[in-house]
Amino acid sequence: MAILQNRRTSADRLASEIEYGRPNATGGMVEAVVDFRRGSWSVAEAELAVLVREHPDLPRMVQNPRLVTAGGKRIGTPDGYFPDAGVVVQVHSRKYHDGFTDTGGDKFASTMEKDLDYQTFGIVVVPVAPTTLRDTPGTFIGKLASVVLPRLGWQSDDVLIA
C-alpha cells in the first residue's frame, strides 16, 4: 500500500505487474491493489472497510473523502465517513504519526487534536487503533454500529464531500 499511497507507482501498473506473473507478486499484492482502488490507504483501513461491508446493518462508508464546508473550507480527510450518520472513523497509528513536527510539536497529539475539527461541525469521531481492528474486530464493529445506527438520517448543510 505504501508504494501506491506515496505515488511511487500506479494501481494500474502494479495490477499489470501482478497479471503478467511477476515472481514476487502474491495474493496479498492483489488484495492490496483492490483495497487501494476501493479507497484504502493502509492495511488497517482495508480491514476496517471489510468489517463495515460485512456488517449487515451498517450503511455505506466512504473511504478517505475530502470533507469541506459549503463555503469550500477544508474540514479534513477521515479514514472512513458515514455521510448518512455524520460519523467519521479515524485509524490512529503511532507508526505513521510518531515523532515531532518542524516546530517541535508531537505529531501523534496533533493528529488526535485534529479530530476536534470534525466535532465542531456536529460530526462524531470514532477512533480506532490498527491493533484493535486486528485483535478484536467483532468488539470494535459492534461499538461502531452502536454509534452509527442511532444517527442515521443525520444531515448537515455545511458538510460536503468535495
Side-chain angles (χ1 to χ4, degrees), residues 14 17-30:
L14 186 55
E17 292 288 322
I18 293 167
E19 181 180 345
Y20 291 107
R22 292 283 291 196
N24 63 347
T26 65
M29 287 178 68
V30 174

Side-chain angles (χ1 to χ4, degrees), residues 15-144:
S16 177
E17 292 288 322
I18 293 167
E19 181 180 345
Y20 291 107
R22 292 283 291 196
N24 63 347
T26 65
M29 287 178 68
V30 174
E31 289 174 21
V33 171
V34 170
D35 291 337
F36 183 80
R37 285 185 168 156
R38 286 182 175 159
S40 297
W41 290 356
S42 70
V43 171
E45 288 181 22
E47 290 171 346
L48 170 64
V50 168
L51 288 172
V52 169
R53 277 195 309 271
E54 291 179 349
H55 192 281
D57 300 321
L58 283 172
R60 171 182 71 99
M61 180 184 75
V62 181
Q63 293 181 265
N64 295 296
R66 185 171 182 269
L67 300 183
V68 297
T69 66
K73 179 183 174 200
R74 183 180 183 277
I75 299 170
T77 304
D79 298 320
Y81 176 56
F82 293 91
D84 296 335
V87 174
V88 302
V89 181
Q90 292 288 71
V91 181
H92 288 314
S93 167
R94 284 200 177 272
K95 178 179 178 182
Y96 294 104
H97 302 286
D98 196 24
F100 297 94
T101 65
D102 294 338
T103 59
D106 181 326
K107 285 184 181 179
F108 190 73
S110 174
T111 297
M112 304 247 313
E113 290 165 10
K114 286 180 185 175
D115 289 349
L116 291 174
D117 294 343
Y118 299 108
Q119 295 180 43
T120 61
F121 291 93
I123 298 170
V124 171
V125 178
V126 177
V128 64
T131 53
T132 299
L133 293 171
R134 183 190 66 225
D135 298 341
T136 56
T139 301
F140 171 75
I141 199 70
K143 288 179 181 180
L144 178 62

